[in-house]
Amino acid sequence: MTDSSNEEGLRIEIDDSVAILTLDMPSNRNAFGADVAGDYTRFLVDANTRQDVRSILIRSTGDRDFCLGGAPSKTPVAAPRNLFDYRAVSTAHIEMFKALWEVERPVVSAVQGTVAGVGWLLALLADMVVAARGSRWTHVFVKRGMIPHAGDSFYLPRIIPFHRLNEIALLGDTVTADTLSDWGIINRLVDKEEVADTAMDLARRLAEQPTRAVGLAKRHYRRSLEVDWNTMLREEMAGQAIYTTSADRNEILAAGLEKRKPVLTGD
């Protein structure tokens, strides 16, 4: 296992092909700014070509707060000079969530405590979500005098049923992970003591899958939300053709013929 940093911010560890991304900013209740968003983005972009990363686990320190949203960067940012300058305020978070949406490695989030603001995207853009019973989720933007941003208005309608999303976003009421589980948004609802182990178990299982097949499946499901039928089927066909050249696919075929368990490397 390797650890990239001991300071407050984003800690990155690799444990047997599982990349563990820990948001470790307890003094700020795990709210994070542009600098930490940039750390996420750089890792997620690189992850697609890293042989030592076959799945990703996103979590936070402590059980009080998963993430309370955005925060000022450690590096001072110049004050906006006019209305148009405000467009740049959320750029770093937009790039981060784009990278999280597009990363081809499977992602699991482990959620405990309070989730607010962009914390929703950090949790729900994972492929599988493990959450503690009773954890509190507050969309918060409207009540803070803001509108949803950082990609919220693109991603959440693709994840949360439309009328449920309106209730969450327009009223700003707090809901629990129990409610989100009832709506089909949480994969595993467990006691808080079980969140870490349950999420890691899923991440390890995903790391044992044929990595390139998983990545192409992820890409295709997301693309299907944005393109027409003909485009999607052609991309699916191209992906299938590409995957037939992978080492894991050929190992699976050989193992089937030889009646043994395949040994997958992620290639």
Side-chain angles (χ1 to χ4, degrees):
M1 182 182 291
T2 59
D3 191 335
S4 68
S5 174
N6 291 316
E7 299 179 358
E8 272 204 354
L10 178 64
R11 289 194 289 111
I12 302 172
E13 307 160 72
I14 311 296
D15 185 0
D16 196 19
S17 298
V18 177
I20 304 168
L21 309 187
T22 305
L23 187 57
D24 184 17
M25 303 184 70
S27 66
N28 212 30
R29 299 188 67 183
N30 289 326
F32 66 97
D35 43 6
V36 174
D39 291 339
Y40 271 111
T41 301
R42 284 184 288 274
F43 178 83
L44 292 167
V45 170
D46 289 344
N48 284 329
T49 56
R50 287 185 59 158
Q51 294 298 310
D52 60 337
V53 175
R54 296 181 60 185
S55 71
I56 298 170
L57 173 62
I58 291 177
R59 66 183 186 182
S60 297
T61 53
D63 58 9
R64 179 189 180 191
D65 302 299
F66 175 71
C67 174
L68 254 62
S73 174
K74 295 177 185 176
T75 304
V77 178
R81 297 186 301 275
N82 57 59
L83 290 177
F84 286 101
D85 287 338
Y86 278 95
R87 294 178 299 183
V89 172
S90 59
T91 297
H93 290 81
I94 288 172
E95 291 302 314
M96 171 194 161
F97 293 127
K98 178 177 182 289
L100 183 53
W101 179 254
E102 293 181 343
V103 66
E104 294 183 10
R105 298 300 190 255
V107 181
V108 178
S109 61
V111 182
Q112 300 183 75
T114 304
V115 183
V118 296
W120 283 69
L121 295 183
L122 184 61
L124 295 184
L125 289 187
D127 302 294
M128 298 184 188
V129 183
V130 178
R133 290 187 175 92
S135 55
R136 295 165 57 82
W137 300 57
T138 305
H139 195 252
V140 91
F141 289 111
V142 169
K143 286 193 171 182
R144 287 185 180 171
M146 297 183 289
I147 65 169
H149 57 270
D152 181 287
S153 58
F154 175 84
Y155 300 116
L156 288 193
R158 289 162 166 78
I159 298 169
I160 300 175
F162 188 72
H163 291 98
R164 298 296 193 184
L165 177 57
N166 284 337
E167 182 178 347
I168 290 167
L170 306 186
L171 294 177
D173 292 341
T174 297
V175 297
T176 66
D178 309 60
T179 298
L180 295 179
S181 181
D182 289 342
W183 294 351
I185 298 167
I186 304 295
N187 293 87
R188 302 285 190 274
L189 182 68
V190 299
D191 293 337
K192 66 179 182 179
E193 297 81 7
E194 300 173 8
V195 169
D197 287 344
T198 302
M200 179 57 81
D201 178 65
L202 282 174
R204 292 197 188 284
R205 289 177 60 192
L206 287 166
E208 294 170 355
Q209 300 299 313
T211 305
R212 296 192 186 281
V214 170
L216 285 166
K218 282 190 57 170
R219 178 191 293 180
H220 292 161
Y221 286 139
R222 283 158 175 71
R223 283 284 286 165
S224 74
L225 298 171
E226 305 169 33
V227 300
D228 62 79
W229 182 85
N230 281 315
T231 300
M232 191 64 253
L233 289 192
R234 294 183 191 285
E235 291 193 14
E236 183 183 276
M237 292 167 65
Q240 180 71 352
I242 291 169
Y243 184 61
T244 60
T245 67
S246 73
D248 277 352
R249 195 262 185 174
N250 290 313
E251 167 63 8
I252 289 170
L253 293 177
L257 292 173
E258 298 166 12
K259 302 187 185 311
R260 61 174 173 80
K261 183 177 179 179
V263 179
L264 305 179
T265 63
D267 291 330

